[in-house]
Amino acid sequence: MTLIPAGSATLAPWALWVTPESAGWTYAGLRLLTLSGESVRFCTGDEEMLVLPLSGSCEVECDGVRLVLEGRTSVFHAVSDFAYLPVDTTVRITGAGRFALPSARATRSFPVRYGAARGVPVEVRGAGHASHQVNNFCAPDAFDCDRLIAVEVLTPGGNWSSYPPHKHDSAAAGETELEEIYYFEGGPGYQRVYGTHDVLAEVSAGDVVLVPRGYHGPSMATPGYDLYHLSVLAGPGRKRSMVSCDDPRHAWIRSSWAEQAVDPRLPMTKAAR
């Protein structure tokens, strides 16, 4: 695992620049853009991308299509709309706010598309102190593209998500081979990764964790501080899937949820209209 502290991986105009090359792997990437009313123009190259407002709103122009993203005040305020950008296209983004651009090296071309906030499946998972919210805006069953998978996870203060710990680093039966990037807001919290690496790192707004292999979880929100992470996944499989394998020592945790109530603080964000 690699921890990338906030502000340590910039490349103008990007406030965060993580490519497959800089991460030391093959498929997954993430950029972060901060705008104050100006425009940024770039080419997607061999990566498919999303434009996801973390705060604020923007206009996206791509392949002759103009999309207006209403966005949101913050990741803890509401689910956001988003835009899909295909490979080998020139894009201009104009707006005010902070915008995440998850990406994956891709070979198939899909059209520019708008993803409405009201169409994002919002799921509450776990129970008790493992209760958390998942916004499945670019999960395999929610949005079609080539290799990119992206979801948002909101964990109330004092709770754990990504638990039981799990892995997805091989093409074995019951598991999908995926690289994964965690981008955090809120906090402070902690992220655990072990198996091929053994790390427990404090994380807060702007920090990034790269997970190439091994078990990862839990993501821990310290009491009094809600934690958000954007999870970006991509791998070599031709069929997009998030199937993972729990650490067998902790898999029993799932069965314990039947006897516990879901945290009443969930869901944490306003419902999309």
Side-chain angles (χ1 to χ4, degrees), residues 29-30 134:
L30 177 63
V134 182

Side-chain angles (χ1 to χ4, degrees), residues 42-49 61-64 84-92 109-110 112:
F42 62 95
C43 183
T44 59
D46 62 356
E47 295 176 281
E48 58 180 353
M49 298 182 181
E61 298 173 81
C62 178
D63 281 351
Y84 173 83
L85 311 176
V87 298
D88 295 322
T89 191
T90 299
V91 183
R92 176 158 52 190
S109 182
F110 288 74
V112 180

Side-chain angles (χ1 to χ4, degrees), residues 160 163-165 246-260:
W160 290 14
Y163 193 70
D246 289 340
D247 183 334
R249 296 176 300 169
H250 305 297
W252 66 271
I253 293 292
R254 292 188 186 275
S255 62
S256 72
W257 296 339
E259 303 172 358
Q260 302 178 57

Side-chain angles (χ1 to χ4, degrees), residues 213-235:
R213 301 189 64 81
Y215 290 105
H216 42 289
S219 298
M220 297 165 270
T222 52
Y225 296 90
D226 298 333
L227 188 66
Y228 162 100
H229 71 263
L230 169 63
S231 182
V232 181
L233 308 97

